[in-house]
Amino acid sequence: MLDPAADKDGRFDVCVRDGKIAGIGANLESDGAQIIEVKGCIVTPGLIDVHLHLMKGLGAFGVDPDIFGVGSGVTTVVDAGSAGHTLLNVFRNYVTDNAKTRVLNYINLSTLGGVSGPGYSILADPRLIDEAKIAQAVEANRDIIVGIKIMATGGALGAQGLKPLERARKLGDELKIPLLVHIGESWTKGAEPVAVGDVLKYLRAGDIVTHMFTVHPGGLLDGNGKLWPQVRDAKESGVLMDVGHGLHNLNFDVARKVLDQGLHPDGVSTDGHRGNRAGPVYDLPTTMAKLMALGFSLHQVIEMATANAAKLLGRTGEMGTLRVGEPADISVLKLEDREWKAVDSQKGTIPVHQTITPEYAIRGDAIYEPLTIERP
Ligand SMILES: [Zn+2]
């Protein structure tokens, strides 16, 4: 078992009764219970993937949450901005309430959310931000909403420039929820990119920058491959950094430069959607293995996907660690020595010596085996 938040790293039995963790310890009595033998596997708190696109059927992205969720050994998945305020009830009723995986939500600052696709100017018309309606939707759905998603790209902001960020800042402060900001001009070729330093002026402790390893204009590095000074300042002030792998935004060269300068991710996420499941993303365990190839230990990547992710979502105490008396929320992973080549979003490769694959996801009384997919 590896549970960084509980400082547990060793051989333990976990007993689940009536959907709750009844005991964690060495050589627990089975008392006639069903036994799942997971020798050689790693039992961890349920993995948390903090950035995906989960409205199945919506545009080119929307994917069933259980594919990247319990079908990938992950117990909590978070949608990043598929729904604006008008779609939030649809999201709740048809996505969150129908999933086997726990599904949380970043509400989009733009009323359009993911309806139009990522290449459109969804914040360029000031009428597309309706603070009062967003506030109403957030108040009615605090149990699933973890923040506000903003596309901080030249393409999305258009002639409004930084004004939507100013409005988001104010709204985030009023509602006391963080902002999740997409950086990197990956979708709208030719748009004037927004400098990350300008975006960071609007962010505070607890806000999240996603796509920290993007190679696209508007990323964390200047023209000489150095971190913009504002990035360091932001990190020191408590702004959090998320991987957000995706189709476009994990670049191994950028990652190495960012990591060599001492900036580490707070959250690891797939930015999973319909268009990257079959590669280059596959699932969260594979994305974690890529981070190990970049130099992180197993302990560190498990911590990112459990305790740190829970903190990033403001849900410490609710998930991210295994506690007796709490509902069972467990991932079982297999770590194997195998040589393979990890591929980034620009088809760059690095050699990897280990794989992480899902074995089970357990929520309450339910045990889920992973879907079979072709992994690299
Ligand atoms: Zn995304």
Side-chain angles (χ1 to χ4, degrees):
M1 171 186 292
L2 187 46
D3 181 354
D7 209 14
K8 270 205 164 69
D9 182 356
R11 277 166 193 270
F12 296 97
D13 293 334
V14 182
C15 172
V16 175
R17 192 180 298 130
D18 301 328
K20 291 189 170 162
I21 296 181
I24 301 172
N27 307 311
L28 295 182
E29 289 297 327
S30 68
D31 278 338
Q34 178 194 358
I35 295 175
I36 311 173
E37 187 61 68
V38 292
K39 231 177 225 152
C41 291
I42 306 154
V43 176
T44 72
L47 298 184
I48 305 165
D49 191 341
V50 296
H51 174 171
L52 309 99
H53 298 274
L54 303 170
M55 278 189 102
K56 186 183 173 191
L58 183 70
F61 281 4
V63 71
D64 185 319
D66 293 328
I67 290 179
F68 281 92
V70 292
S72 297
V74 172
T75 58
T76 301
V77 289
V78 189
D79 182 90
S82 297
H85 63 85
T86 56
L87 270 185
L88 201 74
N89 279 334
V90 177
F91 186 90
R92 169 162 212 122
N93 293 332
Y94 293 96
V95 182
T96 299
D97 290 353
N98 279 325
K100 299 180 175 88
T101 314
R102 182 196 284 118
V103 184
L104 304 176
N105 177 285
Y106 285 100
I107 187 170
N108 205 305
L109 180 67
S110 167
T111 302
L112 289 178
V115 167
S116 58
Y120 290 80
S121 300
I122 60 170
L123 293 165
D125 181 332
R127 293 169 298 179
L128 288 171
I129 303 173
D130 188 331
E131 283 89 346
K133 297 252 171 63
I134 295 172
Q136 243 173 35
V138 170
E139 293 306 351
N141 295 279
R142 287 246 178 215
D143 55 334
I144 62 164
I145 289 187
V146 289
I148 303 169
K149 165 79 184 285
I150 302 126
M151 285 290 283
T153 63
L157 298 165
Q160 281 293 294
L162 297 167
K163 275 190 211 124
L165 279 153
E166 201 181 313
R167 293 172 70 177
R169 169 76 276 139
K170 205 160 158 264
L171 188 57
D173 288 343
E174 278 167 21
L175 298 173
K176 296 192 170 48
I177 51 174
L179 310 181
L180 171 73
V181 180
H182 166 121
I183 60 160
E185 206 65 42
S186 51
W187 287 104
T188 30
K189 308 278 179 277
E192 186 63 40
V194 182
V196 72
D198 288 337
V199 173
L200 291 170
K201 281 180 202 153
Y202 296 94
L203 304 193
R204 310 268 183 275
D207 293 330
I208 305 122
V209 169
T210 188
H211 305 317
M212 65 181 293
F213 298 138
T214 185
V215 72
H216 295 283
L220 300 188
L221 301 175
D222 67 14
N224 299 313
K226 297 282 172 233
L227 286 174
W228 291 102
Q230 298 97 321
V231 173
R232 264 183 217 291
D233 295 346
K235 178 82 175 175
E236 266 163 38
S237 74
V239 171
L240 305 170
M241 300 285 163
D242 169 47
V243 171
H245 182 333
L247 207 48
H248 293 144
N249 294 308
L250 172 59
N251 180 282
F252 291 143
D253 292 333
V254 170
R256 279 205 194 87
K257 285 179 189 153
V258 169
L259 297 171
D260 284 350
Q261 293 171 72
L263 192 86
H264 289 183
D266 297 286
V268 50
S269 65
T270 56
D271 189 4
H273 57 71
R274 203 156 63 85
N276 60 33
R277 169 73 168 173
V281 171
Y282 304 101
D283 55 20
L284 184 64
T286 303
T287 304
M288 291 159 70
K290 291 181 186 183
L291 284 195
M292 284 176 72
L294 285 165
F296 290 98
S297 67
L298 178 70
H299 188 283
Q300 282 174 312
V301 296
I302 300 279
E303 189 169 31
M304 281 178 212
T306 57
N308 294 1
K311 195 168 153 203
L312 182 146
L313 298 174
R315 303 272 168 143
T316 302
E318 194 182 317
M319 57 182 85
T321 187
L322 297 176
R323 263 191 299 247
V324 174
E326 295 294 321
D329 180 352
I330 304 167
S331 292
V332 181
L333 306 169
K334 195 174 237 170
L335 183 72
E336 283 175 301
D337 292 330
R338 181 166 70 79
E339 300 298 324
W340 59 288
K341 267 200 170 72
V343 181
D344 70 12
S345 303
Q346 279 71 42
K347 299 195 165 56
T349 60
I350 41 173
V352 192
H353 315 295
Q354 285 178 312
T355 55
I356 308 178
T357 46
E359 279 284 300
Y360 298 104
I362 300 168
R363 290 195 70 210
D365 280 330
I367 303 165
Y368 303 99
E369 292 190 24
L371 300 164
T372 22
I373 57 164
E374 215 41 58
R375 289 186 183 79

